[in-house]
Amino acid sequence: MPGRRDAGSRPWPLDPLDPLSVDEELRASLEDLAVQVAVEAGRLVRDGRPAAVDVHRTKSTDLDVVTLMDTRSETLVRERLDAARPDDGVLGEEEGVTGGSSGLTWVVDPIDGTVNYLYDLPAYAVSLAVVLGDPTRPGAWSPVAGAVVAPRTGEVFSARAGGGARVRGADGEGEPVRLRVGDAQDLAGVLLATGFAYDREVRVGQARVVADLLPRVRDVRRMGAAALDLCHVAAGRVDAYYEVGTHAWDVAAGMLLVTEAGGVVSGLGAQDPPSEAMVVAGGPAAHATVRAEVERLLAGR
Ligand code: IPD
């Protein structure tokens, strides 16, 4: 496998940005752990959902809600990770950063699609990725393994660097199906997913971009969970996805799913890393077309 090295003979971490520098066996066991913990958290979130979910608090804006279950899910994930991998760091959406000494950090979204969860729309997920490097700095980290669990459909998406991406049904008990991105070539044939920020002002600009794209693509989907949008790109269920304002916990696992399914993920510029400023993902041709269009539109051209 290109880039693969022997982890036993080199100091740790081998290369903060090369996920293939992590021993293959360890990458496989990290994927298994991500799946196991995300499935357990997904069951907690789904089975423990009260008939009427209360907003526990709000964060960045009045639209950015946190439910009690976001907090309980993150607590469970942290407890399980601490028991299994006490030397790893954790970056969680609700509780922030806990340092580690192994060079690996878990990036946790305890419920991605919280507004869907609030309204009992099925498109929500638990997203867990383990990354090399510093996930708080764009371009300074790289996912090694991850899982995205959609508890309401029972789908468990997972991937490890160099090991492909797959989906299993039945809360992970089903047979694995290998994922492959779609092959849409032209903008007119692209089924495009996107998302909108919690900041009402930012949405004004986002509406302009999507209004320009809408008549020129096959159609647009706004499903409300960035981690699942990326899984859908990986599965070829949409051709491309872009969004401004996501955080590492929204996208870390999904990004790996896309690249391991043969797709491309970037920031706004072709060479830019994905960041809060922009994430664009798709099959190679759809990614290139959508990224160039979004870049042109945001530049006001
Ligand atoms: C949000 C969802 C949404 C996306 C937002 C995210 P949260 O995550 O992924 O689809 O548009 O940018 O913040 O708040 O539900 O974890």
Side-chain angles (χ1 to χ4, degrees), residues 38 41-42 45 59 64-65 67 69-71 73-74 93-94 107-118 121-128 147-152 194-196 198 222-232 241 243 245-255:
V45 164
K59 290 189 291 188
D64 188 1
V65 301
T67 69
M69 200 52 97
D70 286 90
T71 313
S73 172
E74 184 162 328
E93 177 173 12
E94 310 308 339
V107 182
V108 181
D109 195 336
I111 304 181
D112 183 50
T114 304
V115 174
N116 285 345
Y117 185 69
L118 186 65
L121 286 167
Y124 59 83
V126 176
S127 175
L128 225 63
V148 177
V149 170
R152 277 290 296 278
T194 190
F196 304 119
Y198 289 124
R222 194 302 189 231
M223 285 172 280
L228 287 177
D229 287 328
L230 287 163
C231 291
H232 293 149
Y241 158 79
E243 185 166 352
T246 57
H247 302 276
W249 48 78
D250 298 309
V251 297
M255 276 168 43

